[in-house]
Amino acid sequence: MTAIPVRVVLLGCGMVAEEYATTLASAPGIEVVACTDLDPERAAAFAARHHLTALPAAQLLDPALTDLAVILTPPHTHATVVSDAIAARIPAIWCEKPLALDRADADRIVREAAAADTLLAVAPDTVLGPALRTAAHALANGIVGSPLSATATLLSTGPERWHPAPEPFYAHGAGPLGDMGPYYLAALDLLFGRLRVHSAITRTRPVRTIRSGPATGKHFTAHAPTHLVALLEAETSGIPITLTASFDAAATRAPHIEIQGTAGTLLLPDPNFHEGEVKFTRYGERAWRTLPPAAADTPPSRGAGVIDLAHALRNATPPQCPADRAVRTAHLSHAILEAAAPRTLPRQPQTTSTAQKRSR
């Protein structure tokens, strides 16, 4: 007997929803049945492209229609929409990162989900892809010996270069740390376990200019730090990790993640993506070698976490992108900002801020 498909709905029909819809359309055991958006015209156009039904959000948050809700709304709405879905008794919920902009909200949502017996999973799902699985396997098997240190580097010109409406990427709680940081922090959490903050520096270039779309040339203000450097430490091993995240870089050749070990060095691709080459070299060697990619249980694309969550719902097993990891990265992001907070002045782009206090 064929299993009844898990009925999935999409809340939010923006750019990332296109990739989710494409991935889920070919996933066995899943049926994407409907979508919604605050802009009814956008929802209708999205529904037509993907052969869905566009409905108001209130109708989608009904367990009679929905087994799994995928939250793809703007970040500042995530906490409210997820709480609404939990209160509506939707059996499983997938939320794009971040789960919440506030640590207290993130903690509250996890408690609400546990009390309602709701399966809650949170992006990023790149930790399920072959690239990070390959790197985790390599570290576990000592390919570069025992890890000594690591660097994680996100240097970008900022989303105003390619996104036609980039202002939300610079809202409070966003910026390179809030928007792209979760990919790097989730990867480091997977590879090294829990992290803590030693110190941080932030800087803000507040005046930005849109470079793409109908608003090209329009200026707007960034309300989040646009460049930061943090010194982290793996709680269990004590390995020091330097994290740099910036929307102010013109170009870079720095590796996204580099791990120095007692016997060699490991280079990881951009953790914003599921695939990419993992390279290593050993002490005394000059050539870099590429590791064969690990097999992935889900398609290497956005939506893999939803497929995993549907499997967890069907088989009563824990999801592989648990909300607990999202909460840890949320706490870490806030600890980084707090470590830099004493003299962080976003409206004064020439001001830098430092703090040497250890986060609690």
Side-chain angles (χ1 to χ4, degrees), residues 100-190:
L101 298 181
D102 181 84
R103 281 178 297 184
D105 281 339
D107 292 338
R108 172 184 55 77
I109 291 167
V110 170
R111 291 194 301 269
E112 289 176 354
D117 199 25
T118 300
L119 275 182
L120 175 61
V122 184
D125 58 13
T126 47
V127 295
L128 304 179
L132 281 172
R133 289 193 172 195
T134 299
H137 184 267
L139 285 179
N141 286 275
I143 282 183
V144 294
S146 299
L148 296 172
S149 65
T151 58
T153 308
L154 161 66
L155 295 173
S156 164
T157 54
E160 65 268 31
R161 178 176 56 87
W162 56 270
H163 199 289
E167 290 93 334
F169 293 97
Y170 293 92
H172 292 290
L177 182 63
D179 178 46
M180 298 300 296
Y183 296 104
Y184 289 76
L185 294 175
L188 294 172
D189 182 278
L190 175 74

Side-chain angles (χ1 to χ4, degrees), residues 2 59 92 127 231 269:
T2 303
Q59 289 183 244
V127 295
L231 177 61

Side-chain angles (χ1 to χ4, degrees), residues 7-68:
R7 299 166 301 173
V8 174
V9 300
L10 306 180
L11 287 85
C13 299
M15 292 181 68
V16 73
E18 297 287 345
E19 190 168 354
Y20 271 88
T22 301
T23 299
L24 298 177
S26 59
I30 287 178
E31 181 184 6
V32 183
V33 296
C35 65
T36 192
D37 194 273
L38 285 176
D39 182 344
E41 291 185 1
R42 180 161 63 179
F46 184 90
R49 285 195 300 275
H50 296 283
H51 310 290
L52 306 175
T53 301
L55 294 171
Q59 289 183 244
L60 297 189
L61 296 183
D62 180 355
L65 171 71
T66 301
D67 300 314
L68 194 162

Side-chain angles (χ1 to χ4, degrees), residues 247-341:
F247 281 166
D248 293 336
T252 180
R253 296 184 66 181
H256 292 281
I257 298 179
E258 179 176 289
I259 300 170
Q260 298 290 339
T262 55
T265 302
L266 194 68
L267 295 181
L268 279 64
D270 189 345
N272 182 30
F273 300 100
H274 294 74
E275 297 185 286
E277 292 185 337
V278 178
K279 296 186 176 184
F280 76 102
T281 188
R282 291 199 174 101
Y283 188 80
E285 296 179 346
R286 292 187 177 183
W288 290 91
R289 287 180 275 173
T290 301
L291 287 168
D297 298 331
T298 52
S301 58
R302 280 171 175 78
V306 177
I307 296 172
D308 173 74
L309 179 58
H311 178 84
L313 178 64
R314 189 181 299 114
N315 296 282
T317 56
Q320 296 185 71
C321 296
D324 290 349
R325 178 183 289 140
V327 171
R328 288 198 298 273
T329 58
H331 278 262
L332 193 62
S333 295
H334 281 273
I336 290 170
L337 295 175
E338 287 174 357

